[in-house]
mmCIF file of all heavy atoms in Angstrom:
data_model
loop_
_atom_site.group_PDB
_atom_site.id
_atom_site.type_symbol
_atom_site.label_atom_id
_atom_site.label_comp_id
_atom_site.label_asym_id
_atom_site.label_seq_id
_atom_site.Cartn_x
_atom_site.Cartn_y
_atom_site.Cartn_z
ATOM 1 N N ALA Q 1 49.245 104.987 164.212
ATOM 2 C CA ALA Q 1 48.302 103.873 164.067
ATOM 3 C C ALA Q 1 48.334 102.970 165.292
ATOM 4 O O ALA Q 1 47.283 102.527 165.787
ATOM 5 C CB ALA Q 1 48.618 103.082 162.804
ATOM 6 N N GLU Q 2 49.532 102.709 165.781
ATOM 7 C CA GLU Q 2 49.659 101.883 166.988
ATOM 8 C C GLU Q 2 49.010 102.564 168.183
ATOM 9 O O GLU Q 2 48.229 101.942 168.936
ATOM 10 C CB GLU Q 2 51.133 101.614 167.275
ATOM 11 C CG GLU Q 2 51.371 100.785 168.529
ATOM 12 C CD GLU Q 2 52.845 100.627 168.853
ATOM 13 O OE1 GLU Q 2 53.637 101.540 168.500
ATOM 14 O OE2 GLU Q 2 53.205 99.615 169.472
ATOM 15 N N GLN Q 3 49.299 103.845 168.370
ATOM 16 C CA GLN Q 3 48.756 104.569 169.517
ATOM 17 C C GLN Q 3 47.237 104.681 169.447
ATOM 18 O O GLN Q 3 46.563 104.716 170.473
ATOM 19 C CB GLN Q 3 49.384 105.963 169.590
ATOM 20 C CG GLN Q 3 50.865 105.948 169.962
ATOM 21 C CD GLN Q 3 51.495 107.323 169.975
ATOM 22 O OE1 GLN Q 3 50.946 108.286 169.425
ATOM 23 N NE2 GLN Q 3 52.666 107.445 170.591
ATOM 24 N N ALA Q 4 46.693 104.735 168.220
ATOM 25 C CA ALA Q 4 45.248 104.864 168.052
ATOM 26 C C ALA Q 4 44.526 103.521 168.131
ATOM 27 O O ALA Q 4 43.292 103.486 168.110
ATOM 28 C CB ALA Q 4 44.934 105.536 166.710
ATOM 29 N N GLY Q 5 45.273 102.436 168.213
ATOM 30 C CA GLY Q 5 44.650 101.127 168.398
ATOM 31 C C GLY Q 5 44.300 100.373 167.129
ATOM 32 O O GLY Q 5 43.465 99.462 167.159
ATOM 33 N N TYR Q 6 44.944 100.701 166.014
ATOM 34 C CA TYR Q 6 44.692 99.972 164.776
ATOM 35 C C TYR Q 6 45.458 98.649 164.763
ATOM 36 O O TYR Q 6 46.533 98.521 165.369
ATOM 37 C CB TYR Q 6 45.118 100.800 163.555
ATOM 38 C CG TYR Q 6 44.219 101.974 163.279
ATOM 39 C CD1 TYR Q 6 44.497 103.224 163.830
ATOM 40 C CD2 TYR Q 6 43.090 101.837 162.481
ATOM 41 C CE1 TYR Q 6 43.669 104.316 163.589
ATOM 42 C CE2 TYR Q 6 42.261 102.922 162.223
ATOM 43 C CZ TYR Q 6 42.554 104.150 162.783
ATOM 44 O OH TYR Q 6 41.728 105.223 162.540
ATOM 45 N N ASP Q 7 44.879 97.686 164.047
ATOM 46 C CA ASP Q 7 45.561 96.414 163.839
ATOM 47 C C ASP Q 7 46.459 96.464 162.608
ATOM 48 O O ASP Q 7 47.459 95.743 162.538
ATOM 49 C CB ASP Q 7 44.537 95.284 163.635
ATOM 50 C CG ASP Q 7 43.577 95.160 164.805
ATOM 51 O OD1 ASP Q 7 44.049 94.865 165.912
ATOM 52 O OD2 ASP Q 7 42.361 95.374 164.607
ATOM 53 N N ALA Q 8 46.078 97.267 161.625
ATOM 54 C CA ALA Q 8 46.777 97.248 160.337
ATOM 55 C C ALA Q 8 46.782 98.632 159.707
ATOM 56 O O ALA Q 8 45.961 99.494 160.040
ATOM 57 C CB ALA Q 8 46.109 96.249 159.386
ATOM 58 N N VAL Q 9 47.708 98.822 158.778
ATOM 59 C CA VAL Q 9 47.765 100.011 157.931
ATOM 60 C C VAL Q 9 47.829 99.535 156.487
ATOM 61 O O VAL Q 9 48.559 98.595 156.167
ATOM 62 C CB VAL Q 9 48.999 100.882 158.252
ATOM 63 C CG1 VAL Q 9 49.221 101.941 157.160
ATOM 64 C CG2 VAL Q 9 48.847 101.560 159.606
ATOM 65 N N GLU Q 10 47.037 100.172 155.623
ATOM 66 C CA GLU Q 10 47.109 99.881 154.194
ATOM 67 C C GLU Q 10 48.013 100.914 153.530
ATOM 68 O O GLU Q 10 47.708 102.113 153.530
ATOM 69 C CB GLU Q 10 45.718 99.938 153.562
ATOM 70 C CG GLU Q 10 45.744 99.616 152.073
ATOM 71 C CD GLU Q 10 44.354 99.518 151.496
ATOM 72 O OE1 GLU Q 10 43.704 100.586 151.314
ATOM 73 O OE2 GLU Q 10 43.890 98.383 151.260
ATOM 74 N N LEU Q 11 49.121 100.443 152.996
ATOM 75 C CA LEU Q 11 50.041 101.328 152.291
ATOM 76 C C LEU Q 11 49.623 101.473 150.835
ATOM 77 O O LEU Q 11 48.821 100.695 150.318
ATOM 78 C CB LEU Q 11 51.468 100.776 152.383
ATOM 79 C CG LEU Q 11 52.056 100.684 153.794
ATOM 80 C CD1 LEU Q 11 53.453 100.074 153.749
ATOM 81 C CD2 LEU Q 11 52.071 102.043 154.473
ATOM 82 N N ASN Q 12 50.184 102.493 150.175
ATOM 83 C CA ASN Q 12 49.888 102.764 148.769
ATOM 84 C C ASN Q 12 51.176 102.686 147.966
ATOM 85 O O ASN Q 12 52.264 102.985 148.464
ATOM 86 C CB ASN Q 12 49.273 104.157 148.606
ATOM 87 C CG ASN Q 12 47.998 104.310 149.398
ATOM 88 O OD1 ASN Q 12 47.121 103.461 149.357
ATOM 89 N ND2 ASN Q 12 47.891 105.396 150.158
ATOM 90 N N LEU Q 13 51.038 102.330 146.702
ATOM 91 C CA LEU Q 13 52.164 102.349 145.780
ATOM 92 C C LEU Q 13 52.164 103.679 145.040
ATOM 93 O O LEU Q 13 51.146 104.084 144.470
ATOM 94 C CB LEU Q 13 52.049 101.196 144.783
ATOM 95 C CG LEU Q 13 53.168 101.121 143.725
ATOM 96 C CD1 LEU Q 13 54.510 100.828 144.377
ATOM 97 C CD2 LEU Q 13 52.830 100.078 142.669
ATOM 98 N N TYR Q 14 53.312 104.357 145.044
ATOM 99 C CA TYR Q 14 53.450 105.660 144.424
ATOM 100 C C TYR Q 14 54.441 105.599 143.258
ATOM 101 O O TYR Q 14 55.223 104.643 143.144
ATOM 102 C CB TYR Q 14 53.948 106.675 145.453
ATOM 103 C CG TYR Q 14 52.974 106.947 146.573
ATOM 104 C CD1 TYR Q 14 53.084 106.283 147.789
ATOM 105 C CD2 TYR Q 14 51.931 107.861 146.402
ATOM 106 C CE1 TYR Q 14 52.177 106.527 148.819
ATOM 107 C CE2 TYR Q 14 51.028 108.115 147.432
ATOM 108 C CZ TYR Q 14 51.154 107.445 148.631
ATOM 109 O OH TYR Q 14 50.256 107.685 149.644
ATOM 110 N N PRO Q 15 54.428 106.625 142.398
ATOM 111 C CA PRO Q 15 55.450 106.678 141.344
ATOM 112 C C PRO Q 15 56.842 106.803 141.943
ATOM 113 O O PRO Q 15 57.011 107.017 143.147
ATOM 114 C CB PRO Q 15 55.071 107.940 140.548
ATOM 115 C CG PRO Q 15 53.663 108.237 140.919
ATOM 116 C CD PRO Q 15 53.483 107.746 142.315
ATOM 117 N N SER Q 16 57.830 106.696 141.119
ATOM 118 C CA SER Q 16 59.212 106.846 141.576
ATOM 119 C C SER Q 16 59.390 108.186 142.280
ATOM 120 O O SER Q 16 58.875 109.211 141.834
ATOM 121 C CB SER Q 16 60.172 106.770 140.384
ATOM 122 O OG SER Q 16 60.011 105.540 139.708
ATOM 123 N N GLY Q 17 60.073 108.160 143.410
ATOM 124 C CA GLY Q 17 60.348 109.386 144.141
ATOM 125 C C GLY Q 17 59.311 109.741 145.183
ATOM 126 O O GLY Q 17 59.457 110.733 145.882
ATOM 127 N N GLY Q 18 58.251 108.931 145.318
ATOM 128 C CA GLY Q 18 57.219 109.212 146.312
ATOM 129 C C GLY Q 18 57.639 108.781 147.702
ATOM 130 O O GLY Q 18 58.739 108.255 147.916
ATOM 131 N N THR Q 19 56.746 108.994 148.676
ATOM 132 C CA THR Q 19 57.004 108.612 150.059
ATOM 133 C C THR Q 19 56.505 107.200 150.299
ATOM 134 O O THR Q 19 55.373 106.873 149.961
ATOM 135 C CB THR Q 19 56.299 109.575 151.032
ATOM 136 O OG1 THR Q 19 56.783 110.896 150.812
ATOM 137 C CG2 THR Q 19 56.574 109.183 152.478
ATOM 138 N N GLY Q 20 57.345 106.363 150.889
ATOM 139 C CA GLY Q 20 56.916 105.004 151.184
ATOM 140 C C GLY Q 20 57.247 104.066 150.039
ATOM 141 O O GLY Q 20 58.350 104.082 149.486
ATOM 142 N N LEU Q 21 56.294 103.222 149.647
ATOM 143 C CA LEU Q 21 56.517 102.239 148.596
ATOM 144 C C LEU Q 21 56.347 102.891 147.223
ATOM 145 O O LEU Q 21 55.343 103.558 146.968
ATOM 146 C CB LEU Q 21 55.536 101.080 148.739
ATOM 147 C CG LEU Q 21 55.604 100.298 150.051
ATOM 148 C CD1 LEU Q 21 54.517 99.230 150.079
ATOM 149 C CD2 LEU Q 21 56.979 99.662 150.241
ATOM 150 N N THR Q 22 57.313 102.674 146.356
ATOM 151 C CA THR Q 22 57.267 103.264 145.021
ATOM 152 C C THR Q 22 57.603 102.193 143.992
ATOM 153 O O THR Q 22 57.978 101.059 144.321
ATOM 154 C CB THR Q 22 58.254 104.431 144.876
ATOM 155 O OG1 THR Q 22 59.589 103.901 144.767
ATOM 156 C CG2 THR Q 22 58.170 105.381 146.068
ATOM 157 N N MET Q 23 57.507 102.580 142.732
ATOM 158 C CA MET Q 23 57.854 101.663 141.657
ATOM 159 C C MET Q 23 59.327 101.251 141.732
ATOM 160 O O MET Q 23 59.713 100.235 141.150
ATOM 161 C CB MET Q 23 57.555 102.309 140.302
ATOM 162 C CG MET Q 23 56.078 102.574 140.043
ATOM 163 S SD MET Q 23 55.101 101.061 139.863
ATOM 164 C CE MET Q 23 55.641 100.487 138.242
ATOM 165 N N ASP Q 24 60.144 102.015 142.453
ATOM 166 C CA ASP Q 24 61.578 101.730 142.547
ATOM 167 C C ASP Q 24 61.991 101.063 143.854
ATOM 168 O O ASP Q 24 63.181 100.809 144.080
ATOM 169 C CB ASP Q 24 62.387 103.025 142.389
ATOM 170 C CG ASP Q 24 62.220 103.646 141.011
ATOM 171 O OD1 ASP Q 24 62.006 102.883 140.053
ATOM 172 O OD2 ASP Q 24 62.294 104.878 140.912
ATOM 173 N N THR Q 25 61.045 100.782 144.733
ATOM 174 C CA THR Q 25 61.382 100.185 146.027
ATOM 175 C C THR Q 25 62.067 98.835 145.833
ATOM 176 O O THR Q 25 61.580 97.977 145.094
ATOM 177 C CB THR Q 25 60.117 100.005 146.882
ATOM 178 O OG1 THR Q 25 59.565 101.290 147.180
ATOM 179 C CG2 THR Q 25 60.436 99.289 148.192
ATOM 180 N N THR Q 26 63.192 98.644 146.499
ATOM 181 C CA THR Q 26 63.937 97.395 146.392
ATOM 182 C C THR Q 26 63.411 96.380 147.405
ATOM 183 O O THR Q 26 62.682 96.723 148.348
ATOM 184 C CB THR Q 26 65.422 97.632 146.653
ATOM 185 O OG1 THR Q 26 65.597 98.045 148.026
ATOM 186 C CG2 THR Q 26 65.980 98.705 145.734
ATOM 187 N N ALA Q 27 63.823 95.135 147.227
ATOM 188 C CA ALA Q 27 63.428 94.084 148.167
ATOM 189 C C ALA Q 27 63.952 94.404 149.564
ATOM 190 O O ALA Q 27 63.247 94.205 150.566
ATOM 191 C CB ALA Q 27 63.953 92.738 147.688
#
């Protein structure tokens, strides 16, 4: 995203065990 010149990325919330942010993600 940085190399392509984006200002932002929208992340997604996934079920437990997914990639990135999940229902189990800690602070």
Side-chain angles (χ1 to χ4, degrees):
E2 179 185 29
Q3 291 178 343
Y6 289 92
D7 303 297
V9 167
E10 181 173 74
L11 297 178
N12 301 313
L13 179 65
Y14 294 96
S16 302
T19 300
L21 300 177
T22 75
M23 295 293 287
D24 296 330
T25 296
T26 66

